[in-house]
Amino acid sequence: MTVALETANSDTSSGRRLAEIVSSAAWDARLEPCTPAEVARLEQSAATIAEHLAGGQPIYGLTQGFGPLVLFPATSEMEQGSSLISHLGTSQGRLLSPETSRLVLRLRLNSMRSGFSAVSPEFWQVLADLWNRGFTPAIPRDGTVSASGDLQPLACAALAFTGLGEAWVRGDDGQWRTRPATEALADLGVKPLEWPVREALAFVNGTGVGLAVSVLNQHSATRLVRALSVLTGRLATLLGANPEHFHAGVGQARGQIGQQVVAGWIRDALPEGLERSEQRPLQEPYSLRCAPQVLGAALDQISFAGEVLLREAEGCTDNPITFEGELLHGGNFHAMPVGLASEQIGLALHTAVYLAERQLGLLLNPATNGDLPIMLTPRAGRGCGLAGVQISATSFVSRIRQLVYPASLTTLPTNGWNQDHVPMALNGANGVSDALELGWLTVGSLALGVTQLAAMVQPDARLSGVWARLAELSPPLDADRPMAQEVREAAQLLSEHAAELLEAPGAGREG
């Protein structure tokens, strides 16, 4: 058990560090100036570049063109900087949320200050000061292959600093709206910037957009597994299911950490002394009996992905870089680590949500719900109960399967002969983000089923906490009613409840 707990503690540490990174990009967060040590590393990196330039050595982006145009010489640093972000300003589609956009910039500024990219400390501080004052580019999310980093979305962000495109502006009411970037800069009393090529390269040559989306997805997916663990415990309680399914010994015998953690979470939701009802089978269907194994496996994969994303967030994804006096042309901007981590989150998400949909099916079927009315309607024939809720949840799962198909399996070569292997990481992360929206609606659907089940089997029970709030937002179905809003509100409530449980003192992955 010692090894298991040590690994669990490690997972908790990485999860908390990711949470700190997310909170460090909040509206009221502030970036501290570069430390003297960071300034020294940046200046040493710049000196390495200067030495190579003085020696007449070719440097990508500075003396040579971009991508397959590296075969051609370049002579003007400012013209190169403008050319880089201009020709890449082709992102399209929905805008990333302002919270995501702020995290994108926070991640890129963190990479730029690490001392490998020859970035001017003065220019870095200009960007950081604007970020601190709330300047937040509006970033379209589609149009990058994530190979030389998320070039197109990051170029659109860089262009906003030059006054092109749009920026998010936060009003006194706390609501975000978009305005032309030039107006947002003018409101701050700042003239549009010009990007030197070295800083422009360091900004756009990174995995920051797919990384930001994936980090937020990882947080959401972790909350979703936590929420489903709570609902599983509540469902088992209401049905009188065999509590042996969640006994600590089952997980200890196998040794899988996620399984042990989830089983502990489920046990936390069970009343003390719960015994199997005589009306329930010795072994429940897999959607209930195997919940620790299924949700635990999902939790493990989500946690493993978080470790990869944390390393990416704390590293430098640029090209070329300097290292101990050497100039190195490489490929740190290739987003394969982010892409595969994101895909694992998506696959784990689907597994968890499919389990939720099957649990909903279990409690709506008289063959498995203890001979209660089908669809949990008290007016069978005249009423349809949760029939519509289940049909929509089934649709959500089907759509999730389409959205989390691994984007790395859709790779296409591009950019002439240059980008012949690309990860499509942001495409995948966007798909997982959309899938999570539907996943939470499935959680909300199950929450309504559990709430209606409680109203039938424990009509006089005194409720508290999250169960009381669910009962208030979804009262007993005396007559059919549209339940879309209730599903959304239940999903939001469970998300908030899961976040509170995960943030509670001592709420690590030890369960």
Side-chain angles (χ1 to χ4, degrees), residues 198-241:
R198 185 56 243 159
E199 283 72 16
L201 267 175
F203 187 81
V204 304
N205 270 355
T207 63
V209 185
L211 176 60
V213 175
S214 296
V215 166
L216 294 173
N217 288 346
Q218 197 267 357
H219 275 250
S220 181
T222 303
R223 290 197 310 276
L224 186 142
V225 171
R226 187 67 181 91
L228 288 180
S229 301
V230 173
L231 287 171
T232 297
R234 181 63 169 162
L235 177 58
T237 299
L238 294 170
L239 292 176

Side-chain angles (χ1 to χ4, degrees), residues 105-374:
L105 264 68
R106 176 69 176 77
L107 291 167
R108 292 314 302 145
L109 289 167
N110 182 65
S111 177
M112 292 168 72
R113 76 189 297 174
S114 61
F116 299 104
S117 300
V119 170
S120 159
E122 294 77 15
F123 193 86
W124 184 94
Q125 192 60 55
V126 169
L127 298 177
D129 287 343
L130 280 170
W131 188 87
N132 285 340
R133 297 178 65 187
F135 185 73
T136 306
I139 306 175
R141 70 177 200 167
D142 296 321
T144 184
V145 297
S146 302
S148 291
D150 297 312
L151 290 172
Q152 284 73 14
L154 286 171
C156 285
L159 287 167
F161 284 95
T162 73
L164 297 175
E166 292 187 312
W168 290 104
V169 176
R170 197 169 189 263
D172 295 335
D173 58 359
Q175 299 299 310
W176 290 92
R177 302 170 182 84
T178 56
R179 292 186 63 191
T182 185
E183 294 180 10
L185 290 169
D187 289 344
L188 297 173
V190 177
K191 294 182 179 179
L193 306 184
E194 290 186 71
W195 284 83
V197 67
R198 185 56 243 159
E199 283 72 16
L201 267 175
F203 187 81
V204 304
N205 270 355
T207 63
V209 185
L211 176 60
V213 175
S214 296
V215 166
L216 294 173
N217 288 346
Q218 197 267 357
H219 275 250
S220 181
T222 303
R223 290 197 310 276
L224 186 142
V225 171
R226 187 67 181 91
L228 288 180
S229 301
V230 173
L231 287 171
T232 297
R234 181 63 169 162
L235 177 58
T237 299
L238 294 170
L239 292 176
N242 190 346
E244 292 177 14
H245 303 336
F246 318 116
H247 193 286
V250 177
Q252 290 180 23
R254 190 176 199 176
Q256 292 292 351
I257 297 170
Q259 175 182 336
Q260 295 178 60
V261 172
V262 169
W265 287 345
I266 294 173
R267 289 195 302 274
D268 288 343
L270 300 178
E272 188 174 352
L274 177 68
E275 295 183 0
R276 176 173 66 92
S277 168
E278 294 181 357
Q279 284 72 45
R280 299 305 301 177
L282 178 66
Q283 296 194 152
E284 292 285 347
Y286 285 11
S287 61
L288 197 54
R289 186 189 352 154
C290 299
Q293 289 80 5
V294 174
L295 295 178
L299 180 64
D300 277 337
Q301 294 303 314
I302 293 166
S303 299
F304 297 156
E307 295 176 12
V308 174
L309 297 175
L310 177 60
R311 290 195 291 270
E312 191 81 350
E314 294 181 336
C316 176
T317 55
D318 188 16
N319 175 60
I321 63 169
T322 65
F323 183 79
E324 297 181 353
E326 291 186 88
L327 175 65
L328 304 174
H329 290 83
N332 276 354
F333 46 37
H334 195 288
M336 202 75 255
V338 175
L340 292 180
S342 173
E343 290 169 7
Q344 286 305 111
I345 294 170
L347 296 175
L349 161 69
H350 164 262
T351 292
V353 173
Y354 178 43
L355 183 86
E357 191 274 341
R358 288 294 77 217
Q359 288 183 351
L360 178 61
L362 180 151
L363 67 87
L364 296 182
N365 188 340
T368 50
N369 71 9
D371 289 324
L372 293 172
I374 190 168

